[in-house]
Amino acid sequence: MSELTKVAGITRQAYYKWLKHEPTKYEIEESEILQLIKQLENEHKQSVGYDKMTRLIKLSHQIPYTVNKKRVIRIMKDHSIKADYRQPTHKRIQAQQTYEAENILNRQFDQTAANQVWVTDTTELNYGIRLNKVRLHVVLDLYGQYPVSWLITPTETAEGVVQV
């Protein structure tokens, strides 16, 4: 026996003390709570966090003593019990048809008369403390480089450019 305790790195006295150890009231409560948590986890398909778990334990009336949230958090953390949350899916609109014209200008941006060539551009602008975003869609006349039309939209869509 003394060779095994040396290999384990403990004293013989500690081994015999552990061998005859009887669980305390607190340890018995912990094991009861853990069993109930595992039962509730299986019933709810591993989708319960510590807050809801605390409420479910209180509603079950299977444990005669009160169990607070901190205790549930600690027990779930010690036994690696986590809620399996599904991430919400975003319902996004499918990509619309893009409008792309052929390159007629060939980088000849100097124009001789007004209203011969118009170009469009979209710029994202941030404003406010929370950095809200809007999109500024502008149609420019290349002759004088002044805006012919403009539109501000909350989202970036091709429809906003087409409306301008």
Side-chain angles (χ1 to χ4, degrees), residues 21-161:
H21 170 74
E22 293 188 19
T24 63
K25 178 184 171 189
Y26 184 78
E27 292 171 341
I28 294 169
E29 287 179 1
E30 293 278 307
S31 65
E32 289 173 356
I33 295 170
L34 178 61
Q35 287 176 354
L36 183 57
I37 287 174
K38 287 182 179 180
Q39 176 191 339
L40 292 170
E41 273 288 297
N42 289 333
E43 288 176 14
H44 293 276
K45 300 176 184 171
Q46 288 75 27
S47 64
V48 179
Y50 63 86
D51 197 32
K52 187 174 180 182
M53 182 63 73
T54 308
R55 284 184 269 136
L56 289 172
I57 289 171
K58 288 178 183 176
L59 290 174
S60 70
H61 301 293
Q62 293 182 13
I63 296 180
Y65 42 87
T66 58
V67 179
N68 66 6
K69 185 168 39 173
K70 289 182 181 181
R71 194 170 189 183
V72 172
I73 291 170
R74 185 181 44 73
I75 293 171
M76 288 178 71
K77 194 176 201 179
D78 289 346
H79 296 279
S80 301
I81 300 172
K82 292 183 180 179
D84 182 23
Y85 292 113
R86 292 186 194 100
Q87 294 296 324
T89 56
H90 299 285
K91 294 184 179 180
R92 300 195 185 262
I93 300 171
Q94 286 185 330
Q96 301 292 325
Q97 179 184 3
T98 57
Y99 301 97
E100 187 174 323
E102 51 184 287
N103 188 6
I104 300 172
L105 286 177
N106 289 330
R107 302 197 57 80
Q108 301 297 320
F109 297 116
D110 297 327
Q111 298 300 315
T112 56
N115 295 329
Q116 286 184 340
V117 177
W118 288 356
V119 293
T120 182
D121 188 24
T122 301
T123 304
E124 183 176 278
L125 302 170
N126 297 326
Y127 69 93
I129 297 172
R130 294 184 180 161
L131 294 177
N132 298 323
K133 294 181 181 182
V134 292
R135 276 68 179 189
L136 173 63
H137 308 282
V138 179
V139 176
L140 292 173
D141 183 6
L142 282 185
Y143 176 69
Q145 294 185 354
Y146 60 89
V148 176
S149 176
W150 57 272
L151 176 69
I152 296 176
T153 60
T155 59
E156 185 174 3
T157 58
E159 293 146 5
V161 176

